[in-house]
Each structure stands twice: as structure tokens, then as C-alpha cells.
Amino acid sequence: MLYSLKAGGKRIRPALLFATLDALQCKHPASEKIATAVEMIHTYSLIHDDLPSMDNDDLRRGKPTNHIVYGEALAILSGDALLTYGMGMLAQLPNVSAEKSLELIRLFSKASGAEGMVGGQVLDLAGETKELSLDELEMIHRNKTGALLSFPVIAACILADTNPDTRYLLEQFAHHLGIAFQIQDDILDIEGNEKLIGKTVGKDERSEKSTYPSLLTLDGAKEKRDEHYEMAIQALHEVVKLPTMLQEIASFIVKRDR
Amino acid sequence: MLYSLKAGGKRIRPALLFATLDALQCKHPASEKIATAVEMIHTYSLIHDDLPSMDNDDLRRGKPTNHIVYGEALAILSGDALLTYGMGMLAQLPNVSAEKSLELIRLFSKASGAEGMVGGQVLDLAGETKELSLDELEMIHRNKTGALLSFPVIAACILADTNPDTRYLLEQFAHHLGIAFQIQDDILDIEGNEKLIGKTVGKDERSEKSTYPSLLTLDGAKEKRDEHYEMAIQALHEVVKLPTMLQEIASFIVKRDR
């Protein structure tokens, strides 16, 4: 469990939580536990995705994948335990009312499970062997990565007791950012440097998987990514006009080389 | 998810929840959701345990295992989604205070994860290749099966607002019952009828795994099983002297042929 948790990675989900709280001018003692829980769920999903029967990846975050080091059985179990532990952490949040904790757990379970991340992964597997439409591709990514990228933003809104309008706008921000993030992931699989990214590149093309570049061309994908970035920033600016860490993270996500 | 959930099985964990509530003369509208959540977690653990990299079983509950029907990738994901969904269900219990719901989620996460079921499975894998002491064997089973067998009994105590003495006694009941259950599992792997049990028998002996019969002889294991059954019943009778469904379930667990 610790091997994969401590392997590094961009920590984008925790960063989104802290930066959203910062944009809302809220400090909250529960933020670290929520950030850790989200990173645990993200990490479990990477461990399971990398398994031989799934994406069969040997390299992640620049290191051998969990099953390469510990074997498949322990890799599956460490993922199971990270998921279980992460969910349980949300039942132990300091200075959060029991009602709010339950709301967070409900949203977290939905974002991570069959109606979110796991469901997206199933759609992704099902779509591997056929050409997808852009709508189908977006549907996959909205679930597979979007849901768990949005969760920390929504969690921050809940901790900060925002009004429904603010929460709606920040949900829009997270939604568009999630798509921009995924498009950039697809672009990096073509243009990226394996050493920087820390995982195998060129896999999508070899497997003839539908991606944003394969459907839109590389330039078209970049244009689409920038459109979603702009929509994200527009929604964010309706909440807060000043420069924020949140905007910096959004810009990092779009310009990142890893 | 539904294939494995609906494959049948003994439903012992739900039965323990309902029977404990009955012994405590409590009816509670949340009992069905909790029972379903526990059965979901139990089912996910079976799906993952049956995978080729774990126990590599083709048969479960008399039917082909999940990965035989849907392939390994979907089997892993359906387990992940059942776990996530089961945890989330405890955040939606009717007529349970938010504080109690959180207590249930904390206990559920602990019983299912690294400190409980998954941890026991890791110890079990680690112990496969060496001869274990009786204490080590009990430690494995207390975590691997005991924790999730105890949870529904404890959950019933929480729903029924029992006093600490009653809860302690019922925890003792569940603890001894869990060990008796596991010993009977080991005995059935030797004496059992594959058609009735619905899974492959004779696996322990072929794999030279440490079991209660291998450490104590078959007769010694039966004696040990009956001892734990007696201790379970003794604890139960300190709570309620009348005949209960709970006692019937305990007796079924010890005498079962499947």
C-alpha cells in the first residue's frame, strides 16, 4: 500500500482540494484527511489498472508497478485495502458534522464506483476494440477520470459551506478541467517524454484505441483542450476574479509535460 | 456484480444480522441495507479470492466463478465496484442517526480492510508455504473470516442500542462462532460433497496448506469446533436464555454440510 502511495505522482486531486479551499478563503482541519483518502482511491485504481489482465503496465510514476514488485495477488489486495481504508477515513473527519461526513461518503462512493470511476473503466475496456464517437469518448472520461477529479472540488465546497451557485460554477470548472486533463493525457501519450511522464508512451496508438487525437487529429485535440480550459477558467472567474492557485493548477494541467 | 451477488450462497452474514436483532427484540428499517452491504463486501472478496493469481477457483456457489464468465478484468472491476457500493450504502441508512452511521462505517471499513479481512487474506497467502502454529492459524482466520462475521452482530447491537455488557457478550459469541465456522470449512474441504458445497474440495490437502485438521487431526478439529460452539452458545445464553434463531444459525454453522 505504501509503495504505491509514496511513489510520487502529481497529487493533482489533493492539490485541487487545497486550492479550491484557498480560493474560497477557507482553512479546514479535515482537508488533509480528505486529500489523503482521495489519493488512496486514485492510487488503488492505478494499481488495479496496471494489472496484467487490465492495461498490463510495468512502469508507473517512474517505478516498477505494484504487481511487478509484489506479485499480482498482493497488488490486487493492496488496491482493495487502499480503497477500503480511504472510504473509512471519511468517517473520521475532524470538525465536520456527521451529516456532512455522510454526504461526503455518499458522493465519494458514487464518484469512485460503478456510477463513476469503475464504470468509466468498464466502458473504456468495452470501447477498446471499436471506433468511438466523441460523445462516447467524453462519456468514458467523464466517469473514468472526471468524477474523481471533481470530487475534491465539491468536497471543498461542502467544507466551506458555499452557496449552491458557487458550487455549481466550481463543478463546471472541475468538469471542463477534467476533460482538458484527459485530452492532455492523450496528447502526452503521443508527444510526451517517457522519462518525464514515468509511464510507457505510445500505447494508445499501438493498441488502436480511440483517443482525442485519433478522433480530432493532434491539432484538433489541442484546440479542444484549450476550449475546455477556457470554459473552466470562465466558470472559475465567476466565483473569484483574482489570480488563484486553482487557476495555476488548471494551467499546469493543460501545459504539463508529465 | 449481480451475477455473483445473485449466485446464492448461505447468506450467513445477513442471517446473523437479522437473528441478532431478533434476539434483541428489535426491528429496524435499516437492517436490510446493512445486510445487503455486508453481503456485497463478502461477495467482492470471493470474486477477488477466486482470481487466477489468488486461489484460482473455477467453481463458486455451484456456478462458474466471475472471471470464468466475464474475464479477469471485469471480475476485478466488479469486485471493486461491489466494495465501493457496499461502503456507500452505509451512508444512506434510514432511521439511523448520522453519528451511528459513521460508527458503522468505521467498524465496517476496519473489519473489511488491512486490519481485518484483506489483512487476513495477506497472512493466509504468506502462510501457504509454511507450517503454521495453531495461534497463527487462528490469527489468520480471526481477520480473514472472523471480522466480517462479527460485524453484522455488532451492527445489530448498535442499531438496538444495547448496553456495553450485552455487546461484549455478543461479540464473544460472534468470535467463537467465527472460529467454529472456519474449522467446519476446513473439515468440509476433507469430508464434504462437492455438489452440495458448490466449490472444489480437497484443495487444502493438495496444496499442503495448514488447516485445523492438518494441525489437530480430523477428530481433534471436530473437538475444537465443538468447544468453540459451546463457548459461543454460553455467551449467547448470558444475553438471552430462550431458544433463538441466533442459536439455530450457530448450530447450522457447526453441523452444515455445505
Side-chain angles (χ1 to χ4, degrees):
Chain A
M1 292 163 74
L2 278 176
Y3 172 78
S4 291
L5 259 186
K6 293 169 92 174
K10 296 179 289 292
R11 311 288 196 216
I12 281 184
R13 291 155 195 80
L16 282 171
L17 178 76
F18 296 130
T20 308
L21 281 173
D22 189 66
L24 296 168
Q25 296 183 291
C26 168
K27 269 189 187 298
H28 200 291
S31 58
E32 288 184 18
K33 270 207 166 149
I34 300 175
T36 308
V38 178
E39 194 67 10
M40 282 180 163
I41 303 293
H42 174 56
T43 301
Y44 116 73
S45 79
L46 299 182
I47 296 173
H48 283 190
D49 280 5
D50 287 338
L51 287 166
S53 58
M54 306 266 257
D55 290 352
N56 194 20
D57 265 312
D58 295 347
L59 203 62
R60 168 73 72 177
R61 294 173 167 176
K63 295 188 176 161
T65 45
N66 197 298
H67 65 272
I68 294 290
V69 180
Y70 297 101
E72 270 185 74
L74 282 178
I76 293 169
L77 290 168
S78 68
D80 292 345
L82 280 168
L83 165 52
T84 311
Y85 205 92
M87 298 285 298
M89 278 184 83
L90 293 194
Q92 315 172 42
L93 300 176
N95 291 43
V96 180
S97 72
E99 285 76 14
K100 266 193 196 180
S101 299
L102 289 179
E103 187 186 357
L104 288 167
I105 293 167
R106 281 191 295 271
L107 291 169
F108 195 39
S109 162
K110 201 172 170 193
S112 319
E115 298 156 289
M117 187 180 71
V118 177
Q121 176 68 2
V122 171
L123 292 176
D124 195 25
L125 286 172
E128 263 178 1
T129 44
K130 54 181 180 192
E131 174 140 345
L132 300 171
S133 71
L134 196 60
D135 278 351
E136 288 172 322
L137 192 66
E138 235 171 74
M139 166 77 154
I140 290 174
H141 293 306
R142 196 164 59 236
N143 287 293
K144 191 182 165 186
T145 36
L148 203 63
L149 276 171
S150 292
F151 175 77
V153 174
I154 297 167
C157 293
I158 291 172
L159 289 183
D161 276 320
T162 57
N163 62 48
D165 286 351
T166 300
R167 178 161 161 180
Y168 174 77
L169 286 165
L170 287 172
E171 280 178 10
Q172 286 304 107
F173 163 79
H175 166 70
H176 289 296
L177 190 64
I179 299 175
F181 177 90
Q182 185 58 48
I183 299 176
Q184 183 63 6
D185 235 39
D186 287 354
I187 291 170
L188 285 174
D189 191 68
I190 297 172
E191 291 192 331
N193 177 329
E194 193 162 301
K195 278 207 184 118
L196 283 177
I197 301 177
K199 65 181 178 185
T200 321
V201 301
K203 281 199 69 162
D204 295 338
E205 210 179 346
R206 283 196 294 280
S207 65
E208 293 181 20
K209 207 172 155 171
S210 293
T211 64
Y212 285 94
S214 80
L215 294 186
L216 301 172
T217 76
L218 191 54
D219 283 344
K222 289 179 181 174
E223 211 173 287
K224 194 74 165 173
R225 174 199 65 191
D226 294 341
E227 271 171 42
H228 281 288
Y229 171 73
E230 288 304 329
M231 286 189 279
I233 297 304
Q234 214 176 314
L236 176 59
H237 282 176
E238 289 190 50
V239 176
V240 48
K241 293 231 163 26
L242 297 168
T244 51
M245 267 205 299
L246 204 47
Q247 181 164 355
E248 281 180 57
I249 291 169
S251 143
F252 164 76
I253 281 177
V254 173
K255 299 191 180 120
R256 72 200 160 97
D257 56 8
R258 61 196 75 191
Chain B
M1 292 163 75
L2 278 176
Y3 172 78
S4 291
L5 259 186
K6 293 168 91 175
K10 297 177 290 291
R11 311 290 196 213
I12 281 185
R13 292 154 194 79
L16 283 171
L17 178 76
F18 297 129
T20 307
L21 281 172
D22 189 65
L24 296 167
Q25 295 183 291
C26 169
K27 268 188 187 296
H28 201 291
S31 59
E32 287 183 19
K33 270 205 166 151
I34 300 176
T36 308
V38 177
E39 194 66 12
M40 282 179 163
I41 302 294
H42 174 57
T43 302
Y44 116 73
S45 78
L46 300 182
I47 296 173
H48 282 191
D49 280 3
D50 288 337
L51 287 166
S53 58
M54 308 266 257
D55 291 351
N56 194 21
D57 264 313
D58 295 349
L59 202 61
R60 169 73 71 177
R61 295 174 168 176
K63 295 187 177 163
T65 45
N66 197 298
H67 65 272
I68 294 289
V69 180
Y70 297 102
E72 270 185 74
L74 282 178
I76 294 169
L77 290 167
S78 68
D80 293 344
L82 279 169
L83 165 53
T84 312
Y85 205 91
M87 299 285 296
M89 278 184 83
L90 294 194
Q92 315 172 41
L93 300 176
N95 291 42
V96 181
S97 72
E99 284 77 12
K100 266 193 196 179
S101 298
L102 289 179
E103 187 187 356
L104 288 167
I105 292 167
R106 282 191 295 271
L107 291 169
F108 196 38
S109 162
K110 200 172 169 194
S112 317
E115 298 155 288
M117 187 181 70
V118 176
Q121 176 68 3
V122 171
L123 292 176
D124 195 25
L125 286 173
E128 262 178 2
T129 45
K130 56 181 177 191
E131 173 139 346
L132 301 171
S133 71
L134 195 61
D135 278 352
E136 288 172 322
L137 193 66
E138 233 171 78
M139 166 77 153
I140 290 174
H141 293 306
R142 197 165 56 236
N143 287 293
K144 191 181 166 187
T145 35
L148 203 63
L149 276 172
S150 291
F151 176 77
V153 174
I154 297 167
C157 292
I158 292 172
L159 288 183
D161 275 319
T162 57
N163 63 48
D165 287 351
T166 301
R167 179 161 160 180
Y168 174 77
L169 287 165
L170 287 173
E171 280 179 11
Q172 286 304 106
F173 164 79
H175 165 70
H176 290 297
L177 191 63
I179 299 176
F181 177 88
Q182 185 58 47
I183 299 175
Q184 183 63 6
D185 234 37
D186 286 355
I187 292 171
L188 285 173
D189 191 68
I190 298 172
E191 293 192 330
N193 177 328
E194 193 162 304
K195 278 208 183 116
L196 283 177
I197 301 178
K199 65 181 178 186
T200 320
V201 300
K203 281 199 70 163
D204 295 337
E205 209 178 347
R206 283 195 296 280
S207 65
E208 293 181 21
K209 207 170 154 173
S210 294
T211 63
Y212 286 93
S214 81
L215 294 186
L216 301 172
T217 75
L218 190 55
D219 283 343
K222 288 179 181 173
E223 212 172 287
K224 192 75 163 171
R225 174 200 64 192
D226 293 342
E227 271 172 42
H228 281 289
Y229 171 73
E230 288 304 329
M231 287 189 277
I233 297 303
Q234 216 176 315
L236 176 59
H237 282 177
E238 289 190 50
V239 176
V240 48
K241 294 231 162 26
L242 298 169
T244 51
M245 268 206 298
L246 204 47
Q247 180 165 356
E248 281 180 58
I249 291 170
S251 143
F252 163 76
I253 281 178
V254 173
K255 300 193 180 116
R256 71 199 161 98
D257 57 8
R258 60 196 75 193

